[in-house]
Amino acid sequence: MNSHQLFRRSRLRLATWYAIVMGGILSLSGFGMARALVQANWVALEREIESIAGTLHDSLEPMLPPSEDPTDVLQQIFPDLCVVDQPCEPNSSLIQRHTLGVSDRTTYYIRLFDNQGNLLAFSPNQPTTLPTTLNPDLWQTLQTLEGKRYHQFTTILHSAHTHSESGQLHNGESWGYLQVGRTLAAFDAEMQRLRWVLLGGIPLILGLIAVSSWWLSGLAMQPIYQSYQRQQQFTANAAHELRSPLASLLATVEASLRLPQSKQVPDPVLLQAVERQGRRLSQLVTDLLLLTTLEQNTTTKPPQPCCLNDIIADLTEELAELASATDIHLSSQIVDIEIHVMGLESQLYRLVSNLMANAIQYTPSGGSVVVSLANHDRSATIAVKDTGVGIPTEEQSRIFERFYRVNSDRSRKTGGTGLGLSIAQAIAQRHHGQITVTSEVGNGSAFIIHLPHIAIV
Amino acid sequence: MLQVKRLDQPAQEISLTLKEFQVLTYLMENCDRIIPGSKLRSQLWDLDEEPISNVVAAQIRLLRRKFARHDCDCPIETVPGQGYRFRTLP
C-alpha cells in the first residue's frame, strides 16, 4: 500500500538521521575520552620520572666528588653503574640494588655526564643506541632500532664540595648532568589496547545505535500512523454516512420523476421525504463542521461565565416534550446555589443536551432519566442517569469515537448522526472538563460531566 | 421595545431581542393555546442557527426574567411536557 511505503520511508529517514547524530556524538565523545586518558597517563608518567630524578638528584648532590677523578667515587655511590671505558660487569647484590633507589631496574635507566657533556657512567640497561654526548633538552623521547620508546628527563647536578672548598672557582657552576629515562613499553601497550577497544567498540556501538534508532523511530511513528489510520477510518465513515441519505434523496426524486407527466404535481409526501433527508444531511454536515471547529480550537469568542443551573433547567424543560412522546419520566435535581463555569453557553447547551437526548433515545418507554447538578471542591458535576439499555463494558471506551454505535447498529431508526458523544467530549475537553461513564447492560447508564467551576458570590 | 401598560401604573418599556420578540408575538397570536416547544422551534428558527438560540426554554426564561425585572407578571406559562401558553384569562 502506498501509505505504508510512505510511513516506511519516513521511519527509515528518521532512523538514519538519529543513527548519524547519535553515532557522531558518541564517536566524538569516545575519541575525546581516549585522548584525555592518554594525556592523563602521559602526565602521570612525566611526573613519576621527574620525582625519581628529583630524589636521585637530591641524594646525589651532597656526595658528589670533586671533578678531577670522579669515576672511582661514582662507582662507590652507584656500584651498579658501568663506567665509561671500563668493562661493565653487572653486579647484582641486594644491597646495591637498594642503593640505586630505583625500584624497577628494567623500567628506568640513569646516565651521568660531566659539565662538558661527556658521559661518565650509565646503567647497564640503557638503550644501546644512545649517543655518548649530552643532549641537554629537558624532555626527550627516544626510539631504538627495535622500536622501543623511551622518555628521558635531564637535570643539572651541582656539587656540594666545590661550593664549600673552592667556592671562588666554581660558584654557581654545574658539576654535570643527570639523565633519568623510562621505557614507554607499558605506556605504548596501554595505547595499543585503547586503540583496539576503540576500533572494536565503535562499530559495535554504531550497530547497536542503528538497531535502537530503527526501533525508536518505529515507536515515534506509531502514534502518527494510528492517527492517520483513524483519520482514514473517519473519512470512510463520513462518506458512508453521507451516502445513505443522499441515496434515498435521489431515489425519492427519481421516483417522482418517473410518474406520468400528468401526475407530476409536487407530491407533499414525497417533498416531505426529500426535506427529511435533506435536513439529515444538513445536520450531519453541521455536526462535522462543529466537531472540526472544536478540535481545531478556532472559535474566537471569549469564554463567559455561564450558569449551569439555568442550562439544566432550560434543557429539562425543552426536552420534556421529547421525553413525554416516548413516555419517559424526565426530571432534574439542581442544587440551590448557582454554579457557574467559564465557557461558551451555546457549546455547554449542546454538551448537556447531547447527553440528555442520548439518554432519552436509549431508554425504553416507561423508564426515567434524571439530570442532577452537584457542586464539589474544584468542579461541578452534571450527571445524566437513565434506566436504559446500558452499554457493555468492552464498548464503553469506544462510544466517544466518531460514528461509533453500540451493537454496530447503523440503522436510521435511532436517529442521531453518530457524532453526539464525540461532540460532547470535544466540548467538555475544550472547557477543561471530562466525561466519565458508568453503565451496566440492562440497568442503564450514567454519564457524568466534570467541569471546573468558578466561584461567584 | 415593548410597552407595558398597567391600569394602576405608568407605562414602562422593556427592551427585547428579536428572538424574544418573535416568541412573544407568536404566543400572543395563539393566546390561550398550548404551543409545543418543537412547534415554536420549527416556526421561528432556522436549522443552522447556533444551538443556544434554538433552545426555546432559554428564550422563555430570558423573557420571564425581563418581565420580572420590571415587576411584571409574565403571562407565559409552561405546561410541563406539552408546551407554552400565553394566558389572557386569569
Side-chain angles (χ1 to χ4, degrees), chain B residues 7-27:
Chain B
L7 295 176
D8 51 342
Q9 276 172 23
Q12 345 180 28
E13 284 186 347
I14 304 175
S15 67
L16 297 179
T17 64
L18 177 64
K19 215 84 242 177
E20 290 162 351
F21 182 76
Q22 286 175 340
V23 171
L24 189 61
T25 315
Y26 192 87
L27 286 174

Side-chain angles (χ1 to χ4, degrees), chain A residues 79-111:
Chain A
D80 205 27
L81 286 184
C82 303
V83 176
V84 178
D85 300 331
Q86 287 185 19
C88 190
E89 292 164 18
N91 193 344
S92 49
S93 81
L94 262 172
I95 307 156
Q96 286 158 352
R97 281 186 191 192
H98 281 292
T99 51
L100 185 62
V102 178
S103 56
D104 191 351
R105 235 157 259 257
T106 56
T107 312
Y108 289 94
Y109 65 85
I110 58 176
R111 280 146 59 93

Side-chain angles (χ1 to χ4, degrees), chain A residues 228-365:
Chain A
Y228 175 79
Q229 274 183 325
R230 259 204 305 276
Q231 203 62 40
Q232 272 193 326
Q233 183 64 44
F234 169 68
T235 314
N237 285 342
H240 178 86
E241 294 285 332
L242 286 169
R243 200 177 53 182
S244 322
L246 267 179
S248 47
L249 194 85
L250 285 176
T252 318
V253 173
E254 273 171 24
S256 92
L257 282 179
R258 273 206 203 104
L259 289 172
Q261 199 79 34
S262 53
K263 283 190 179 177
Q264 268 194 10
V265 283
D267 181 350
V269 181
L270 277 178
L271 281 182
Q272 272 167 15
V274 169
E275 194 207 2
R276 203 168 49 241
Q277 300 297 346
R279 278 196 189 284
R280 221 189 120 64
L281 272 175
S282 165
Q283 184 65 48
L284 188 58
V285 173
T286 314
D287 282 2
L288 279 175
L289 280 176
L290 174 66
L291 201 54
T292 317
T293 326
L294 284 172
E295 288 185 347
Q296 290 182 340
N297 230 337
T298 46
T299 12
T300 45
K301 288 183 198 160
Q304 288 170 331
C306 306
C307 179
L308 290 180
N309 307 54
D310 284 346
I311 291 176
I312 289 172
D314 285 348
L315 286 172
T316 312
E317 195 175 304
E318 185 84 0
L319 292 167
E321 197 186 320
L322 179 67
S324 63
T326 48
D327 192 24
I328 290 165
H329 180 70
L330 175 65
S331 60
S332 59
Q333 297 166 354
I334 303 177
V335 286
D336 288 334
I337 48 163
E338 288 200 342
I339 300 173
H340 293 258
V341 299
M342 286 301 281
L344 293 178
E345 198 168 41
S346 61
Q347 291 186 354
L348 290 172
Y349 266 104
R350 189 68 200 266
L351 164 61
V352 182
S353 77
N354 273 7
L355 290 188
M356 286 173 70
N358 253 11
I360 292 169
Q361 209 148 57
Y362 288 101
T363 301
S365 55

